[in-house]
Amino acid sequence: MKKILLAVWLLHTSTSNATDAFDKARAAALTQPAETVALFELQLPELSSTPAWHQRDWLVLASRAYTRLKQFSQAEQNLRQADQLLSAGLSKTDLLLAAGFVNFMQQKYPAAFYWYQCSARFDLPPIEQARVGTSLGQISYMQGDFAAAKIHFEQSLTAATLYKQAALVALLQNNLGLVLWRQQQYQPALARLRQAMYGYTQLQEPYSLQMASLNLLTVVVAQQDWPAFDRYAAGISKSIDDKAPAELQNYLALLQALHQAARPLQPADMQHLQKLAAPLQIPGLVQNAALLLQQAGAGNSITPSPARDPQQDLRLPQLEQHCGPYHAE
C-alpha cells in the first residue's frame, strides 16, 4: 500500500512540476523568450514520453519563443513535430495560429495569410474568430491594404468587447490607431492609441503598454506636433527605461532624435537617424521608422526584406489536409 501511495505521490509531483514549468514558460514567452526556450529545452529529454497534447503545447509555445528570438529554423522544426502529432486528434487551432505567426514575423505575408485564413474556416468560438480576424488585419496592414485591415479590426473589436476580452480590446484599439494614422486621421488615431494605453495600464502589461506608447509618439512625430511630443514623451520615456527591450529603447531614441533634429536635416543628422533605424527588426517598428525617415527627408537606410522563395516555405502536411492546396506565392 505504501508503495502504491508513493508511486501516486511521485506521479503527482512530476505532473505538478511539469505544469509549473509550462506555466512559467508561458508567462515569460512574450517578454523573456530566452527563458521560455531554456525551460522547453530542459523538458526535451522527457517530452516524447508525455501525452500528445502536452508535447504539442510545449512545441507550439517554444516555437513562438524561438520566433521572437529570430531562430526561425528551430521554430519551424517545432511546428513540423507538432504537425506529426495531429493524428492523435488534437486541436488544430493553436498550431495554425503559430504557423501564421512564424511566417508573419519573417514577413512572409502570403504564407501567413494561408495559415490564418485556414484557421478562419473552422467552427471557432467567437473569441478565437476575433483573434484570427486580428491576425488577418495585421497582414492587410503590413501589405498596405488599410481599408481591409480596418474592417478586420473593427469586426474583431466588436466581438472582443462583447465577450469582455480586455487584452484583445487593447490590442485592437492599438491596431486601429495605426490604421487611422496611415489614413491621415490623426486625432482619431491618437484617441484609439490612448484607449489602448489605458487598457494596458489597467491590465498591468508593461511591454504592450510600451509598444502602444511608442505608436502614439510615432503619430505625434508624423504630425510634427512637438508641443504634444513634449507632453507625452516625459511619461513614456520613464516607462521605457533600461529594463525595457533594447529595440524599444532604440526606437524611442529614434523618435527623440527626429524631434531634436533641425529642419532641414543636416548630413550629420541624417547619418545619426539612419544609424538608429538600421538595427530595428520588429516588422511594425521597421515600417514605422522607414515612413518617418522618408517624411523627414532622411531617406531610408533600412535594408528591405529579401525576396522570399515559396519553395522554402514552411510545410505542414497534416494541417494542409484540412486547409486545401497550399498557395503562398
Side-chain angles (χ1 to χ4, degrees):
M1 184 65 178
K2 289 182 179 180
K3 290 183 178 179
I4 295 174
L5 291 174
L6 178 61
V8 170
W9 180 80
L10 289 172
L11 177 62
H12 173 76
T13 301
S14 176
T15 303
S16 178
N17 289 340
T19 301
D20 288 346
F22 184 80
D23 288 343
K24 290 178 182 177
R26 183 167 52 189
L30 183 61
T31 57
Q32 297 176 295
E35 181 178 340
T36 298
V37 166
L39 288 165
F40 167 70
E41 292 177 349
L42 284 174
Q43 300 295 314
L44 275 177
E46 306 297 331
L47 194 61
S48 62
S49 61
T50 64
W53 62 266
H54 186 255
Q55 295 180 53
R56 178 211 56 191
D57 287 354
W58 266 112
L59 289 165
V60 170
L61 178 65
S63 175
R64 289 180 172 275
Y66 281 123
T67 297
R68 292 189 172 95
L69 295 171
K70 312 299 180 186
Q71 298 178 28
F72 298 118
S73 295
Q74 187 59 55
E76 293 184 352
Q77 177 60 29
N78 272 28
L79 294 185
R80 282 190 286 269
Q81 289 180 250
D83 181 61
Q84 294 172 7
L85 298 170
L86 287 183
S87 58
L90 300 175
S91 169
K92 307 170 187 64
T93 305
D94 287 347
L95 183 53
L96 284 165
L97 296 177
F101 176 70
V102 170
N103 280 284
F104 181 85
M105 292 300 290
Q106 294 180 79
Q107 301 179 55
K108 295 182 176 181
Y109 299 126
F113 183 85
Y114 169 83
W115 295 113
Y116 284 131
Q117 188 64 47
C118 178
S119 64
R121 297 176 192 168
F122 292 96
D123 186 18
L124 301 174
I127 295 306
E128 289 303 320
Q129 291 177 11
R131 295 186 189 284
V132 171
T134 301
S135 299
L136 291 170
Q138 289 171 328
I139 294 170
S140 296
Y141 176 84
M142 295 301 294
Q143 292 182 313
D145 189 348
F146 304 123
K150 188 177 181 182
I151 290 171
H152 282 302
F153 293 150
E154 288 179 338
Q155 290 176 342
S156 297
L157 179 59
T158 298
T161 303
L162 177 63
Y163 289 93
K164 299 180 180 180
Q165 299 294 304
L168 186 55
V169 167
L171 173 62
L172 288 160
Q173 297 283 19
N174 173 82
N175 292 354
L176 281 166
L178 291 173
V179 168
L180 291 166
W181 162 48
R182 298 299 297 275
Q183 294 178 326
Q184 300 184 342
Q185 299 180 45
Y186 296 112
Q187 293 310 309
L190 291 172
R192 290 286 190 179
L193 289 165
R194 284 195 295 268
Q195 287 177 300
M197 291 170 63
Y198 176 78
Y200 286 131
T201 300
Q202 296 299 109
L203 291 163
Q204 298 183 14
E205 292 190 8
Y207 177 82
S208 298
L209 174 60
Q210 290 163 352
M211 286 294 292
S213 301
L214 289 174
N215 289 334
L216 182 139
L217 280 184
T218 297
V219 176
V220 173
V221 170
Q223 290 181 278
Q224 298 189 32
D225 186 347
W226 305 125
F229 184 94
D230 290 334
R231 290 196 305 273
Y232 289 122
I236 292 172
S237 297
K238 291 179 182 178
S239 72
I240 303 178
D241 54 18
D242 56 3
K243 295 180 181 179
E247 186 163 359
L248 303 193
Q249 297 180 48
N250 200 58
Y251 186 76
L252 176 61
L254 172 65
L255 296 178
Q256 292 169 330
L258 282 164
H259 172 27
Q260 295 164 0
R263 303 294 194 277
L265 292 178
Q266 301 301 307
D269 290 324
M270 292 185 188
Q271 292 176 4
H272 180 55
L273 292 170
Q274 291 168 356
K275 184 178 180 180
L276 289 171
L280 297 175
Q281 296 184 34
I282 297 173
L285 296 185
V286 170
Q287 190 179 77
N288 291 353
L291 288 166
L292 294 178
L293 288 179
Q294 291 169 357
Q295 182 187 46
N300 178 10
S301 67
I302 301 174
T303 305
S305 301
R308 306 296 184 182
D309 181 1
Q311 297 301 317
Q312 297 179 358
D313 283 348
L314 171 67
R315 302 301 300 271
L316 302 173
Q318 298 288 336
L319 272 184
E320 288 174 43
Q321 291 181 22
H322 304 278
C323 295
Y326 183 85
H327 297 298
E329 301 175 3

